[in-house]
Amino acid sequence: MKVSVQAVAVWGKIAPSHSITAIMITDDQRTIVTGSQEGQICLWDLSSELKISSKEILFGHTASVTCLAKARE
């Protein structure tokens, strides 16, 4: 069985220094969450004009972030 994987590029004016391995968008479609091969989780603001800007970088994982999931309320 052949599996296709789409590449996604996410950055503002400057490309991030990490390799994105997982991506998720919040229900309100205003925040993008990315996981990286280096173990970082990054939060990105997404404007109504589809402009992306970095918001926060979370450190602490010692392995690659290969999937993201949101918690229920």
Side-chain angles (χ1 to χ4, degrees):
M1 184 166 133
K2 192 172 187 178
V3 177
S4 66
V5 177
Q6 292 184 332
V8 177
V10 180
W11 60 78
K13 294 181 181 181
I14 301 172
S17 60
H18 61 277
S19 303
I20 294 173
T21 52
I23 189 167
M24 181 184 77
I25 191 164
T26 57
D27 290 336
D28 63 5
Q29 299 182 346
R30 297 183 70 198
T31 303
I32 296 172
V33 183
T34 59
S36 74
Q37 186 174 17
E38 295 79 15
Q40 302 165 348
I41 295 176
C42 301
L43 304 178
W44 307 83
D45 283 325
L46 178 60
S47 72
S48 56
E49 298 84 27
L50 300 179
K51 292 184 181 180
I52 299 169
S53 58
S54 60
K55 185 176 180 179
E56 294 182 60
I57 299 177
L58 309 173
F59 299 92
H61 288 85
T62 57
S64 296
V65 177
T66 58
C67 65
L68 296 165
K70 54 189 168 188
R72 296 184 196 177
E73 292 186 23

